[in-house]
Amino acid sequence: PMLIAVDARQAYRPDRRGTGKNLLDLYRTLAARRPEWRFVMLHRDPAADPFADVPSITARRINIPAGDRLDLWERLRLPVAAARANVLHSPANTGPTASVAPVVLTVHDLIPVDENPAEPAARAWLRKVRAAARAARQVITPSEFSKGRIVDALGVPADRVTV
């Protein structure tokens, strides 16, 4: 059966916000529509499992000993944990640049760099998003406007970006 690994950190945060709430809706809907598929939610927080009532969704808490220096959770631990999956979904603008499982990356928008293009933090964020988007098998985004920005600013071919 299809196995989808998900970077579910946003869904397991105690203070769940936009992306985390969207992940709950998205994967509950997918699980209902594709009951034969299996999903593994990879996360770091010891929060209660918001998918505990969905039989095809399994939570797997993975950590990095001694903290997460150099973003090793996303760069190393996540792709290793997802190695047997058919696909790894990274839903929050960034993801691993090397993965055995093909990566589908959601890039919602480029607002941080659009608002403050000269700010060092925004430029660092853009470099990280660009590397993840270029490495991903497919990028999904919520609007044609964002697709245009992704193609132009990140250098991702238009045929690899789906609205």
Side-chain angles (χ1 to χ4, degrees):
M2 174 70 81
L3 175 61
I4 299 172
V6 180
D7 176 349
R9 290 177 289 178
Q10 298 296 321
Y12 284 80
R13 289 174 53 154
D15 60 335
R16 193 177 305 122
R17 296 180 0 199
T19 298
K21 291 176 181 178
N22 289 338
L23 283 176
L24 294 180
D25 291 338
L26 172 63
Y27 282 98
R28 284 180 172 282
T29 300
L30 277 175
R33 290 189 179 177
R34 298 285 189 262
E36 71 279 9
W37 289 6
R38 298 292 169 250
F39 305 89
V40 60
M41 300 295 160
L42 303 169
H43 66 94
R44 295 169 44 165
D45 290 313
D49 183 4
F51 298 102
D53 61 326
V54 184
S56 60
I57 297 179
T58 303
R60 184 165 166 216
R61 183 174 178 223
I62 54 175
N63 270 324
I64 292 281
D68 190 9
R69 296 187 180 119
L70 305 173
D71 204 19
L72 291 177
W73 192 94
E74 183 175 84
R75 291 179 36 219
L76 179 64
R77 193 71 177 99
L78 176 64
V80 167
R84 293 188 177 175
N86 297 97
V87 67
L88 168 59
H89 180 207
S90 289
N93 298 317
T94 65
T97 55
S99 175
V100 172
V103 175
V104 173
L105 175 72
T106 300
V107 177
H108 300 275
D109 54 53
L110 299 180
I111 289 174
V113 75
D114 288 342
E115 290 181 347
N116 301 302
E119 177 144 343
R123 292 165 59 131
W125 179 85
L126 181 64
R127 283 191 300 275
K128 187 175 178 179
V129 174
R130 180 182 290 127
R134 288 181 177 177
R137 176 79 53 92
Q138 192 70 26
V139 175
I140 55 179
T141 192
S143 71
E144 289 293 338
F145 177 81
S146 289
K147 177 178 180 173
R149 292 289 294 124
I150 291 164
V151 169
D152 293 342
L154 304 183
V156 178
D159 64 341
R160 287 192 20 235
V161 183
T162 302
V163 175

